[in-house]
Amino acid sequence: MSDVAHLLSIDDLGENLRSILEWAIHYKQDPDPDYDFKPLDEMSIGCIYEKPSTRTRVSFEVGIHKLGGQALTLLKGDIQMGKSETIADTGAVLSRFLDGITYRCYGHEMVVTLAENSTVPVINALSDKHHPCQAAADLMTIMERNPSLEGERVAWVGDGNNVLHDLMLACALLGVDCIWAVPPGFEPDSEVVERATKIAEGTGAEMIQTHDPVHACTGATIVYTDVFISMGEEHLTDKMAAFDGFQVNETLVSHASDDYGFMHCLPAHRGEEVTDGVIDSENSIVFDQAENRMWAQMAILTYLCNPPAFSAYTELY
Ligand code: CP
Ligand code: NVA
């Protein structure tokens, strides 16, 4: 693997995560509208999708354009990769044309292989194990409400999935308590939990697993859920029965802090993991989260693809 930096899971950003999110918040607020800041000028970013996407695709395309770069969206069905060409050869070839690659894939090992064989930064745009761009936007959204993050307690209710993995890692990195309530048998990956717990030991965050949604939500400042059946699991219809009692509804959120924020990475299956009453309530910040995908990814792209420009911009604030 070349020594270029990639983003495969959110902990790849390490202790720089906070400054990247602060950068994103400043950039969103536009501290100097006259500053012609185009850190991706003359750069091209390839965005490969094996699964559908609304937020990720649009936020990358628009964000790359705003940074002065060119986005090439490459749908799996339209390129050779996985049919007549390996992921490794694709990474080597695309590295000769592009300045960065984003990749939404099924198995996490596929984005790892792409990164191992690319000489430009590779950003995981969702795999079955990690969704780092989502976690960056999520913690940015919480920081917008509470810049110091002090006193935050994030409660996850639902499946132990890719979104939870990076959410707990991001909370651990930023010193935010995270408690997840999952049905027995649907716990998050133990290797990711170990990583998060180890990071949290250094930042003072609590990482707690429970099977009780009320326990998780009691006193929470953020209540977060996601679909019970992720992309690629559509055949696992039996899974749904395990999630009885894990719907985020008005009764469950009554245990959270009065000014709690409701979060969901979207798309939401209304009436399954969350009720309309919760997702449409004044506490819901799901559309801020969706918008922040773009700002957080713009910060990440600049950090990975043009580090001097990332540093130069911080001098504006
Ligand atoms: N949250 C998220 O990744 O949404 P999309 O699947 O629409 O990209
Ligand atoms: N856990 C979901 C997230 C979608 C953004 C999935 O992987 O399908």
Side-chain angles (χ1 to χ4, degrees):
M1 182 149 31
S2 71
D3 59 4
V4 66
H6 303 290
L7 175 60
L8 304 186
S9 60
I10 194 76
D11 51 327
D12 286 341
L13 299 178
E15 60 189 19
N16 293 319
L17 177 60
R18 186 179 290 266
S19 61
I20 290 168
L21 300 186
E22 285 168 354
W23 194 104
I25 290 169
H26 282 289
Y27 191 81
K28 182 179 176 182
Q29 293 165 349
D30 198 2
D32 183 355
D34 297 327
Y35 181 45
D36 188 25
F37 183 65
K38 300 287 180 210
L40 298 191
D41 187 30
E42 299 291 322
M43 291 193 186
S44 299
I45 310 294
C47 305
I48 306 172
Y49 293 92
E50 291 186 352
K51 294 173 176 172
S53 168
T54 297
R55 278 143 291 273
T56 307
R57 178 172 172 172
V58 175
S59 59
F60 267 118
E61 287 191 15
V62 175
I64 290 164
H65 176 75
K66 282 183 189 291
L67 294 173
Q70 175 194 21
L72 290 89
T73 291
L74 305 166
L75 304 181
K76 178 76 184 299
D78 295 344
I79 59 174
Q80 305 285 13
M81 188 175 80
K83 295 191 284 286
S84 60
E85 193 160 43
T86 63
I87 294 174
D89 285 352
T90 303
V93 170
L94 291 183
S95 296
R96 299 294 179 102
F97 300 119
L98 300 172
D99 302 283
I101 304 171
T102 77
Y103 183 23
R104 169 166 286 198
C105 61
Y106 283 94
H108 184 68
E109 66 285 356
M110 298 166 85
V111 69
V112 172
T113 301
L114 189 73
E116 283 172 350
N117 292 279
S118 298
T119 54
V120 297
V122 170
I123 297 174
N124 178 3
L126 181 147
S127 67
D128 63 353
K129 189 171 179 187
H130 290 289
H131 198 0
C133 297
Q134 184 66 54
D138 296 342
L139 269 295
M140 174 184 170
T141 307
I142 301 171
M143 278 172 79
E144 283 183 315
R145 286 160 48 102
N146 175 6
S148 74
L149 293 173
E150 264 174 49
E152 293 292 341
R153 186 172 177 84
V154 174
W156 172 275
V157 180
D159 192 19
N161 67 13
N162 47 2
V163 175
L164 172 60
H165 288 160
D166 287 76
L167 182 71
M168 73 168 74
L169 287 165
C171 286
L173 282 164
L174 297 174
V176 173
D177 294 344
C178 184
I179 178 164
W180 54 93
V182 294
F186 295 93
E187 292 83 3
D189 185 284
S190 57
E191 176 264 330
V192 176
V193 174
E194 271 173 40
R195 253 155 67 199
T197 304
K198 191 153 185 252
I199 294 167
E201 279 167 13
T203 61
E206 278 192 308
M207 298 286 119
I208 303 168
Q209 179 165 291
T210 175
H211 297 307
D212 178 359
V214 172
H215 175 205
C217 289
T218 300
T221 58
I222 297 291
V223 177
Y224 199 134
T225 191
D226 182 16
V227 292
F228 298 145
I229 294 190
S230 286
M231 290 182 278
E233 295 185 337
E234 291 81 359
H235 57 291
L236 300 178
T237 43
D238 289 354
K239 195 178 165 185
M240 288 301 285
F243 289 86
D244 270 356
F246 283 78
Q247 184 187 64
V248 176
N249 54 33
E250 290 81 338
T251 308
L252 185 60
V253 297
S254 70
H255 299 277
S257 297
D258 288 344
D259 59 351
Y260 85 97
F262 171 71
M263 299 183 80
H264 192 307
C265 57
L266 303 179
H269 293 176
R270 289 164 174 260
E272 288 184 10
E273 73 275 5
V274 61
T275 57
D276 286 341
V278 171
I279 197 169
D280 294 331
S281 72
E282 284 186 355
N283 294 78
S284 178
I285 51 175
V286 298
F287 300 120
D288 294 330
Q289 269 181 277
E291 178 188 338
N292 285 339
R293 290 293 305 276
M294 183 178 77
W295 303 110
Q297 288 159 194
M298 289 167 78
I300 290 165
L301 283 161
T302 306
Y303 172 79
L304 291 177
C305 299
N306 191 345
F310 181 88
S311 302
Y313 189 81
T314 61
E315 286 160 25
L316 289 186
Y317 56 84

